[in-house]
Amino acid sequence: MPSLDSAYAQVDRGAEHLTELKLLHDEVCKIQAKSTVVQFKLQGTVPAGETLEAGDVRYPQPPVGIRVRIIAGETANCFRSALDYMVAQLAILDSGARQERTQFPIAHTPKHFKQARRRGLNGVNDPHVAAIEKLQPYNGRDWLKFLAILSNFAKHDDLILLKHGVLITTEKFPVDPTDPDPFKYRMRVDFQNVIQIAINEGFALIPTPEILKSEVAKTLDAFKPEFKV
């Protein structure tokens, strides 16, 4: 009897990989943060209309751990496998027989989806195909695009980079009334470097698999009623 049990198991396995990925991500970022120096050079008041150099951020450029890249790929592959299992079970449900080489398509155009349907959605009926098409990136579902990118991580060495930012905290305090400074308040500015691993396509590594886990689970939940006896 077809079911989504194996698909949900893949989501659970992906969640386990994601837990490990978060720990490794934080470890890499912690090491990088310790070697990053934020220097604030500006002292005193900036005259109106003038621009002065406030400081700079100096940091090394170490490679991101290979293990981070591998586990990111494994995490995404589990989520993608969950969708593949779902399609395989839908094909059995709709056709009454196991189909060869079924696969959940990730298409960027309607034409691409039609081609993918012929290759990977054998045995899946039209209503289910239409439901799957609604999930495609060209219908505004970017999470599938990110899933395709992340699931190819294990094949590339240059997809992850370290993205640096600076968290700025300010505090305003009054000036001593006897101070000749014409301004009544002064501002203290504190800098703290913020580091995360990002993909060279421009999205952060850790939040993305969290979104994928949620979206894949929602997709399985949406199709689950089809498998009820």
Side-chain angles (χ1 to χ4, degrees):
M1 189 70 186
S3 76
L4 294 180
D5 291 347
S6 293
Y8 279 109
Q10 284 292 328
V11 175
D12 291 341
R13 183 58 178 149
E16 293 172 357
H17 283 309
L18 182 53
T19 297
E20 183 178 4
L21 179 62
K22 289 178 181 177
L23 293 174
L24 286 172
H25 173 278
D26 292 347
E27 181 180 346
V28 170
C29 291
K30 183 178 180 181
I31 293 173
Q32 182 72 359
K34 286 183 177 180
S35 60
T36 299
V37 178
V38 179
Q39 290 186 327
F40 185 60
K41 302 176 181 178
L42 181 63
Q43 294 182 356
T45 302
V46 180
E50 292 189 17
T51 301
L52 298 178
E53 181 181 353
D56 56 28
V57 179
R58 293 185 290 107
Y59 54 88
Q61 293 280 3
V64 177
I66 294 176
R67 187 166 177 79
V68 175
R69 172 174 53 82
I70 292 174
I71 295 177
E74 290 175 344
T75 303
N77 281 327
C78 283
F79 298 146
R80 189 159 188 174
S81 292
L83 296 176
D84 289 340
Y85 273 112
M86 184 191 76
V87 166
Q89 294 302 300
L90 281 174
I92 296 173
L93 181 70
D94 294 341
S95 69
R98 186 176 298 276
Q99 302 293 321
E100 297 294 329
R101 299 180 180 178
T102 54
Q103 185 178 40
F104 186 96
I106 299 179
H108 298 285
T109 66
K111 181 179 179 180
H112 183 198
F113 182 81
K114 290 180 180 179
Q115 295 172 344
R117 178 183 183 178
R118 291 194 295 269
R119 293 194 303 267
L121 294 178
N122 293 327
V124 180
N125 66 27
D126 289 343
H128 288 153
V129 169
I132 292 172
E133 185 173 14
K134 289 181 180 179
L135 299 172
Q136 298 304 307
Y138 62 84
N139 284 322
R141 303 300 182 94
D142 285 342
W143 67 270
L144 268 182
K145 178 180 67 176
F146 297 147
L147 179 58
I149 294 172
L150 285 174
S151 61
N152 286 320
F153 259 27
K155 303 175 186 177
H156 302 279
D157 292 330
D158 59 348
L159 289 181
I160 303 178
L161 53 87
L162 286 173
K163 184 168 69 175
H164 288 257
V166 178
L167 180 66
I168 302 175
T169 304
T170 61
E171 180 181 358
K172 185 175 72 171
F173 57 94
V175 175
D176 187 326
T178 62
D179 194 316
D181 194 313
F183 295 96
K184 296 181 179 181
Y185 294 93
R186 289 184 180 176
M187 189 77 72
R188 184 171 66 204
V189 182
D190 295 322
F191 292 85
Q192 179 183 358
N193 54 304
V194 180
I195 300 173
Q196 62 179 328
I197 298 176
I199 315 307
N200 60 6
E201 278 78 4
F203 58 91
L205 175 61
I206 292 302
T208 303
E210 289 279 15
I211 294 171
L212 296 180
K213 180 180 72 172
S214 174
E215 293 295 338
V216 171
K218 287 179 183 178
T219 301
L220 298 183
D221 290 343
F223 281 92
K224 188 175 182 179
E226 303 293 311
F227 293 87
K228 291 183 179 180
V229 179

